[in-house]
Amino acid sequence: YSTQFNCIELNATFYRLFPPSTFEKWHVTTPENFKFFPKLEQSISHFRRLKDVEQVVENNVTNMSHLKEKLGMPFLQMHNNFGPKDFDRVQTFIDNWQYDIPLAVEFRQTDWYNDPAVSSALYDLLEKNNVTNVMVDTAGRRDLMHMRLTTPNAFVRWVGANEPSSDRKRLDEWVERVADWKKQGLKELNFFVHQNVEKESPLLSAYFIEKLNKKIGT
């Protein structure tokens, strides 16, 4: 994988905490410029739902830190039934994130986005604490679509519809959007392509990379 791509969204860490030796092995067996973006354990986001998670978070960060300079941006993906009524838990979690490691958070419940007061409070919290707001572009889930950057780093999880023509059209729109954001000061783009039929994902990634490089001169 690392001979073809320069980063990976590491979903395996969502299901269990790997020992430091595994992270060390990943570090030494990948190229110099490779980056890992590990997902925090589901015990944090789905089981305990951000309550009394300080030690679990500490364990996650300690082990992930063995990736050293190849550790990109860990991300927290909340359960799709975790809503704004537990905003205080999000506040506490972010207040307690005192690590010298950037963090991204993904909210998968519609109520975070369809109430302007809620979304404004959330974006303000993330922005003030330099936490990146994960953007999800999924065909069929436009209710979760938002374009609010909270840091100069964009973390995009793009999900195709297994329809080559429309998928490429959606990627074309992202090329234009990223070019515009770059002019406005975007510093880093982390863009991950997914599909339930993954055979097409490498082709879509190559398509996107080629068009984006040509557009913005990278």
Side-chain angles (χ1 to χ4, degrees), residues 25-203:
K25 181 180 179 181
W26 288 336
H27 176 268
V28 300
T29 55
T30 50
E32 183 177 343
N33 68 337
F34 196 81
K35 294 284 186 181
F36 292 85
F37 291 74
K39 187 185 294 187
L40 293 172
E41 263 189 298
Q42 62 183 343
S43 59
I44 298 169
S45 55
H46 286 46
F47 301 156
R48 300 191 184 188
R49 301 169 70 85
L50 304 187
K51 186 176 181 181
D52 301 325
V53 296
E54 290 78 10
Q55 188 57 56
V56 187
V57 173
E58 176 71 23
N59 295 341
N60 273 242
V61 173
T62 297
N63 290 18
M64 290 175 183
S65 295
H66 287 267
L67 290 169
K68 302 176 184 177
E69 79 284 355
K70 293 182 181 178
L71 177 59
M73 185 181 294
F75 70 104
L76 177 74
Q77 181 190 77
M78 297 308 303
H79 196 286
N80 56 18
N81 63 14
F82 182 89
K85 69 179 181 64
D86 288 320
F87 187 93
D88 59 322
R89 296 190 184 188
V90 179
Q91 172 88 56
T92 300
F93 182 88
I94 290 177
D95 285 345
N96 288 338
W97 187 269
Q98 300 296 322
Y99 304 100
D100 190 26
I101 296 172
L103 174 69
V105 182
E106 176 186 343
F107 295 94
R108 301 166 68 92
Q109 219 275 359
T110 307
D111 290 344
W112 290 102
Y113 307 114
N114 59 19
D115 183 336
V118 170
S119 58
S120 179
L122 176 64
Y123 298 151
D124 286 349
L125 174 66
L126 299 179
E127 196 169 60
K128 288 175 182 176
N129 290 275
N130 200 35
V131 174
T132 295
N133 189 24
V134 174
M135 298 177 181
V136 181
D137 182 353
T138 302
R141 286 305 308 269
R142 313 320 280 170
D143 56 320
L144 296 179
M145 190 70 177
H146 65 82
M147 287 293 156
R148 180 62 156 80
L149 291 165
T150 55
T151 69
N153 302 330
F155 192 125
V156 182
R157 306 185 74 224
W158 184 94
V159 185
N162 304 308
E163 209 299 308
S165 178
S166 68
D167 286 343
R168 282 162 174 75
K169 183 178 183 296
R170 286 169 55 212
L171 288 174
D172 290 343
E173 293 170 354
W174 272 104
V175 168
E176 297 300 322
R177 187 174 295 118
V178 170
D180 184 49
W181 286 350
K182 187 173 184 290
K183 292 176 183 176
Q184 298 181 52
L186 184 70
K187 301 297 184 186
E188 183 176 305
L189 172 68
N190 306 302
F191 196 97
F192 300 98
V193 172
H194 297 270
Q195 285 210 117
N196 63 335
V197 180
E198 290 289 7
K199 183 178 179 180
E200 176 82 347
S201 293
L203 301 176

